[in-house]
Amino acid sequence: MNWVWQDLASEPSRKRAAGPPSPEVLAAQREQERQDAYERGFNDGVEAGNRRAMKELGPNLRASVKVVEEMEEFRDALLDQIQENLAALALAVARQLVEREIKAEPEVVANLVRNALSHFPLDQKIRIRLHPADLSAISLEGPQQRPTVTAGRDVRWIPDEAIARGGCVVEGPEQIVDGRIEAALERIYRTVSNG
């Protein structure tokens, strides 16, 4: 390989021309290196602290989250139970009020029967099942009470102990109208409790 004197001579002259860095430049470089080292050390310390905290606190944190989830489930179940209890209480009060009203006003049952009959054509044979006490109360209202309730229909009155006071079941050849208080209260209960 052939060396050219000019190539060899030009490189050292460039290095000499640059010269050593000034004290200010060296101080700035050292300060930058110190800041970089500080940031690396700080970040490494934070990362190590996080790892240690997760190692030590992780199980406690997971247990706390599980407790909170269980408390939320308990609260939801408790609210559901409270709502169901309130619905049951409201229906019990309603039942007491209906029974009191029926004892005080036998006309309530007569109106219920009239309402149920309105769902049937006039020419159908009808069976009306009532609690014996309600049937007696309608009969005691006067000798014309039952005919007034049925308005000239072909009706067979049946005393039925299975039907609670204040209710009736009206049966025709093609349909049945359930006017029992229990059925009405059960429908209300399902509506309220499913909220």
Side-chain angles (χ1 to χ4, degrees):
M1 173 170 337
N2 291 333
W3 290 94
V4 177
W5 177 258
Q6 195 175 14
D7 290 336
L8 291 176
S10 62
E11 188 61 32
S13 64
R14 269 189 248 142
K15 284 185 182 178
R16 271 188 245 125
S22 70
E24 294 83 20
V25 170
L26 287 175
Q29 286 175 347
R30 279 193 298 270
E31 179 60 24
Q32 185 62 45
E33 289 171 359
R34 187 190 66 75
Q35 285 180 356
D36 290 346
Y38 176 82
E39 285 182 28
R40 278 193 308 275
F42 181 82
N43 291 337
D44 290 348
V46 167
E47 188 176 319
N50 286 339
R51 280 193 305 269
R52 183 175 177 188
M54 287 307 292
K55 182 179 178 183
E56 292 175 5
L57 299 177
N60 293 336
L61 181 61
R62 285 188 291 279
S64 298
V65 168
K66 185 176 180 182
V67 166
V68 168
E69 289 171 352
E70 289 173 354
M71 288 177 66
E72 288 174 350
E73 289 173 10
F74 177 74
R75 181 202 64 211
D76 292 344
L78 184 61
L79 288 175
D80 289 344
Q81 185 66 42
I82 288 171
Q83 182 178 0
E84 190 173 322
N85 289 345
L86 285 175
L89 178 62
L91 291 179
V93 169
R95 177 182 298 284
Q96 292 295 320
L97 292 173
V98 167
E99 288 176 5
R100 189 176 73 189
E101 183 69 19
I102 290 165
K103 288 177 185 172
E105 285 290 329
E107 183 64 22
V108 171
V109 177
N111 287 336
L112 180 65
V113 171
R114 280 189 200 100
N115 186 31
L117 285 171
S118 70
H119 296 283
F120 294 90
L122 289 173
D123 59 344
Q124 283 190 354
K125 288 185 177 185
I126 306 292
R127 291 175 13 146
I128 301 173
R129 295 184 317 154
L130 295 168
H131 189 276
D134 289 338
L135 187 55
S136 294
I138 289 176
S139 298
L140 293 175
E141 285 293 300
Q144 301 299 319
Q145 181 63 32
R146 280 199 216 167
T148 303
V149 171
T150 57
R153 293 176 179 261
D154 186 4
V155 173
R156 180 171 165 221
W157 294 87
I158 302 169
D160 189 344
E161 290 278 344
I163 297 177
R165 297 268 336 247
C168 70
V169 175
V170 180
E171 302 168 337
E174 296 175 9
Q175 70 176 343
I176 296 174
V177 174
D178 189 349
R180 293 176 298 157
I181 300 300
E182 293 82 17
L185 292 176
E186 184 179 325
R187 285 189 298 272
I188 293 169
Y189 177 78
R190 280 196 307 263
T191 301
V192 170
S193 64
N194 291 334

